[in-house]
Amino acid sequence: MFLSVIVLNIMTFVYRYTGVHISNHDHSTDYTWEPNQYQMNMKEGFSWIKMDDNGFNNYYPSKKNNPDYLLMGSSHMEAVQMDSEENAGYILNLLLPNEYFYNIGISGHTIYRCVNNLKNANKEFRPSKGIIIEISQTDLDDKMLSSVIDGKLKPIKSYDTGLIYFVQKYAQSIKFLFNQIADWRKMDSKVFGSNKRSNSHAVIHYKQYSEKLNDFLALAKSSIQTDKKLLFVYKPTTKIDENGKYISTKKDPSTELFKEACLRNEIDFIDLSDAFENLYNSKHILAHGFINSAVGVGHLNKYGHRVFAEEVAKVIGGNN
């Protein structure tokens, strides 16, 4: 068994080495990766990257102590599926050379955690012009909204010392095995379980949901100074039907409601639905998916990151 673990560790290091995430004591995110940690990925996409001194995926040279714009988001914004020069943060620095963008996107940080950490992120990094948040959904969960509004959302747990820390750092095969089992259990719950969700539109009245969404976004806006821009960038799914026709995500009711709530709270909103559809119709390229993953699913690929950066650059560049 001991020899098997050693052999599997070697294989896992080449195939998918994530290293260890540790608690973030400034609470700008729930956790960070260890400073200057390497990550290897061949599970979805191909990459060999090194995290920066703060434990985030930033390769573009720092121009100043504090950024003009801070990027926040989930694993899509963290972008460990590709080279660091191909993600939206790096591309934005190229497209707008007079601005400096710093990326603290990290796995598991959906819109709820980003808003929950927004005040601390603003305090820690002090962006001079604004904060940009990547989101993957606009139809939000009522219970999660309430937990953020009431200040009851618990952070993602990290292990900085002890046995679990040791296993994550030096026995990646064991960590990988547990992650695979967790993925299987999730798939089982989708196939065999009721898969019921506290969906905002199904469980509570439309008006109640609208009011709670407004309170949530008002909290987000109040977490930064009034003279700073807050921008949500929505990246919808990118799927095609059996005939290869793109399945449009335009005019989705939940997205329209989210957009209206953003306007009420003086928050900028970008919907990438049109841009993603145009990418497929013009070049037959989907914004999600990789050569070693399913078609159009999974994380944002380098083409999606390019579209993301270009659409953000249009809004920010036009306002300068």
Side-chain angles (χ1 to χ4, degrees), residues 15 22 52 68 91 93 124 127 129 134 138 156 195 205-206 208 230 240 249 251 256 258 279 297 307 318:
Y15 179 66
I22 57 177
D52 67 11
D68 294 299
I91 297 170
N93 278 299
E124 174 65 20
K129 295 184 178 180
E134 165 265 320
T138 52
I156 298 171
N195 199 29
H205 191 272
Y206 176 87
Q208 291 176 303
L230 179 59
I240 54 176
T249 56
K251 303 294 183 181
E256 293 299 312
F258 189 93
L279 174 67
V297 300
V307 170

Side-chain angles (χ1 to χ4, degrees), residues 19 21 29 89 92 113 121-122 130 137 177 183 193 211 240 247 262 264 272-273 284 287 291 298 305:
H21 65 73
T29 56
L92 275 165
R113 297 196 178 278
N122 181 59
Q137 61 185 123
L177 177 62
D183 288 343
E211 290 173 351
I240 54 176
I247 301 174
C262 284
R264 284 197 300 270
L272 296 177
S273 295
H284 303 291
I291 194 171
H305 274 268

Side-chain angles (χ1 to χ4, degrees), residues 244-261:
K245 185 178 179 181
Y246 191 87
I247 301 174
S248 179
T249 56
K250 294 185 287 187
K251 303 294 183 181
D252 179 73
S254 65
T255 303
E256 293 299 312
L257 181 61
F258 189 93
K259 182 178 180 180
E260 291 171 6

Side-chain angles (χ1 to χ4, degrees), residues 152-168:
K152 296 180 179 180
L153 182 63
K154 295 181 180 180
I156 298 171
K157 190 173 181 61
S158 295
Y159 298 91
D160 299 357
T161 58
L163 178 61
I164 296 180
Y165 172 87
F166 179 87
V167 168
Q168 290 186 88

Side-chain angles (χ1 to χ4, degrees), residues 106-227:
I106 201 156
S107 298
H109 285 61
T110 58
I111 184 174
Y112 311 108
R113 297 196 178 278
C114 288
V115 171
N116 194 57
N117 296 326
L118 186 55
K119 186 174 182 179
N120 291 322
N122 181 59
K123 179 181 178 181
E124 174 65 20
F125 293 98
R126 302 191 303 277
S128 61
K129 295 184 178 180
I131 297 179
I132 301 163
I133 302 178
E134 165 265 320
I135 61 173
S136 298
Q137 61 185 123
T138 52
D139 187 8
L140 305 184
D141 183 87
D142 176 58
K143 290 184 178 179
M144 292 296 290
L145 289 176
S146 296
S147 66
V148 176
I149 294 170
D150 299 336
K152 296 180 179 180
L153 182 63
K154 295 181 180 180
I156 298 171
K157 190 173 181 61
S158 295
Y159 298 91
D160 299 357
T161 58
L163 178 61
I164 296 180
Y165 172 87
F166 179 87
V167 168
Q168 290 186 88
K169 190 172 181 68
Y170 300 108
Q172 280 279 303
S173 60
I174 297 177
K175 175 182 177 181
F176 192 79
L177 177 62
F178 275 99
N179 287 339
Q180 290 294 96
I181 293 173
D183 288 343
W184 288 337
R185 292 180 64 183
K186 288 179 183 178
M187 290 302 296
D188 284 344
S189 67
K190 289 180 180 179
V191 175
F192 300 109
S194 61
N195 199 29
K196 289 183 179 179
R197 173 180 170 227
S198 179
N199 187 282
S200 52
H201 296 278
V203 178
I204 62 175
H205 191 272
Y206 176 87
K207 183 178 180 182
Q208 291 176 303
Y209 171 75
S210 180
E211 290 173 351
K212 185 163 290 188
L213 176 62
N214 186 76
D215 292 341
F216 176 76
L217 294 178
L219 174 64
K221 183 62 177 179
S222 67
S223 298
I224 65 175
Q225 293 87 339
T226 55
D227 62 331

